[in-house]
Amino acid sequence: MANKIISSEYTNKKMYYANFNITFGNDSEPMLEHFFDIIYPAMTSGYIRESPNKTGMNFVLTDVKVKEIDDDIVLVGNYVKNMGYSVNTTMENGELEEKDMYVPSSPYSRFIIFLQNHRMVLIKNDSVSPDVRSFQAHFRKMINNYIHISNLERKKEDNLPAANINIVDMPFDEEIRNTLKHAKKIEWINFKFFPLNADISPLQFANDVDQKIKELEANSANLKINSPRSIETIIKNVQDTSGLAVTSLRLKNSDGSVVRIKEGQFKSDTDIIFDGNINSKDDKYLISQAKKNEKITKTSSENLTLFEKAVDRLRKIIKV
């Protein structure tokens, strides 16, 4: 267990859990199959994504490295949001003074991806640091841009395959139960499935859907269930598909209120004790905190086999 000295003036940081689920091509090849020719070079390319609302904001990955920390080989880095704000007035000597200033700011989050099972955590350095949704948006743009540019220089038969990117929250079992246990009725529930990256669901119907998605060479599939009566079974199904599907539902509470729970609304973050700003020297401590959630450490036999095939090449690019 990593030790970190915490001062009396510590502040909490938010740590978010997610499944870094990436597959490639019509055959849904797992992420590690294209780590060295797509994932790692794209992430270290310095790609800058401009904000879609044209505010001057942009996003970039920095300090991206493969590290071996204790028994884990991880991909780490910072996800930075470059922004700024205008200052029009300030208070000086008790009086408002007009100003014309622009103050740049770069809030960031630290990400750690466990390459053995492609689970990840994202830790926000402060309240305005970018979140998992933003990280997924950046990752999709970055990878698609890298594949497009690379394929311009390749023969068609040597083209890199398209990526199917789903970076999905992993909500806590207790949060799922607390959200659903008081429901009087569930009007409907929808599971959105996507090709899994060598994961095996504990639910047979989820594995059947995953197999069908891959047979049909589809990007995703939705399974909607209307008026399920067994709320306990629904709770268990949502818990078992945490990180392996995206769930949305509509329920009616005992007070008659109707609640729509959209994807990403189940709590998937926890507070960790932290002192100061996050940087690379804190990775060992962050990993020790992340592994308090057992979902971070679970690894399918298929993922373990893929990792063992790649581990020697991964060790060759490890940086301190």
Side-chain angles (χ1 to χ4, degrees), residues 89-128:
T89 58
T90 61
M91 182 74 79
E92 297 181 15
N93 299 320
E95 299 289 335
L96 283 174
E97 298 286 341
E98 290 189 3
K99 295 288 183 180
D100 184 14
M101 297 170 55
Y102 181 81
V103 181
S105 179
S106 297
Y108 66 94
S109 296
R110 186 78 174 165
F111 63 87
I112 300 174
I113 301 167
F114 295 80
L115 294 179
Q116 180 167 300
N117 61 4
H118 57 83
R119 300 301 188 261
M120 70 171 285
V121 289
L122 181 140
I123 308 95
K124 296 176 70 170
N125 190 58
D126 55 55
S127 60
V128 295

Side-chain angles (χ1 to χ4, degrees), residues 19-57:
N19 180 8
F20 185 77
N21 191 95
I22 319 291
T23 59
F24 291 95
N26 294 334
D27 295 329
S28 298
E29 297 171 275
M31 183 266 292
L32 283 179
E33 295 281 336
H34 289 282
F35 183 84
F36 300 98
D37 61 351
I38 299 179
I39 296 290
Y40 190 65
M43 293 181 73
T44 54
S45 67
Y47 173 79
I48 298 173
R49 176 174 66 95
E50 300 294 334
S51 174
N53 56 15
K54 303 185 185 301
T55 59
M57 183 186 300

Side-chain angles (χ1 to χ4, degrees), residues 89-258:
T89 58
T90 61
M91 182 74 79
E92 297 181 15
N93 299 320
E95 299 289 335
L96 283 174
E97 298 286 341
E98 290 189 3
K99 295 288 183 180
D100 184 14
M101 297 170 55
Y102 181 81
V103 181
S105 179
S106 297
Y108 66 94
S109 296
R110 186 78 174 165
F111 63 87
I112 300 174
I113 301 167
F114 295 80
L115 294 179
Q116 180 167 300
N117 61 4
H118 57 83
R119 300 301 188 261
M120 70 171 285
V121 289
L122 181 140
I123 308 95
K124 296 176 70 170
N125 190 58
D126 55 55
S127 60
V128 295
S129 297
D131 59 14
V132 173
R133 293 272 176 274
S134 177
F135 183 79
Q136 176 178 250
H138 182 82
F139 207 85
R140 283 175 172 168
K141 284 276 190 178
M142 176 189 68
I143 293 294
N144 290 338
N145 179 75
Y146 182 84
I147 291 171
H148 173 71
I149 291 175
S150 296
N151 285 346
L152 292 177
E153 302 174 355
R154 291 169 173 258
K155 295 180 180 179
K156 186 174 181 178
E157 59 269 22
D158 296 326
N159 276 358
L160 297 174
N164 191 347
I165 298 169
N166 296 278
I167 302 174
V168 184
D169 293 335
M170 294 196 308
F172 301 114
D173 287 353
E174 183 179 358
E175 167 68 13
I176 294 167
R177 177 168 295 280
N178 289 340
T179 301
L180 300 181
K181 68 181 181 182
H182 297 301
K184 181 179 180 181
K185 177 184 179 181
I186 294 178
E187 297 187 349
W188 56 260
I189 182 167
N190 187 79
F191 297 94
K192 180 181 178 182
F193 296 98
F194 40 83
L196 293 179
N197 181 4
D199 281 317
I200 303 297
S201 173
L203 299 176
Q204 186 56 51
F205 80 82
N207 290 320
D208 292 342
V209 174
D210 181 55
Q211 183 62 35
K212 186 57 66 175
I213 290 173
K214 292 172 179 176
E215 286 178 5
L216 297 174
E217 300 180 3
N219 289 331
S220 63
N222 289 279
L223 175 62
K224 186 174 184 180
I225 302 171
N226 295 313
S227 302
R229 293 185 179 86
S230 177
I231 293 176
E232 181 60 34
T233 301
I234 289 298
I235 290 172
K236 188 67 167 61
N237 285 176
V238 176
Q239 291 173 337
D240 286 343
T241 55
S242 172
L244 305 178
V246 177
T247 304
S248 57
L249 66 153
R250 189 167 67 189
L251 58 84
K252 183 177 289 186
N253 288 319
S254 55
D255 62 2
S257 61
V258 176

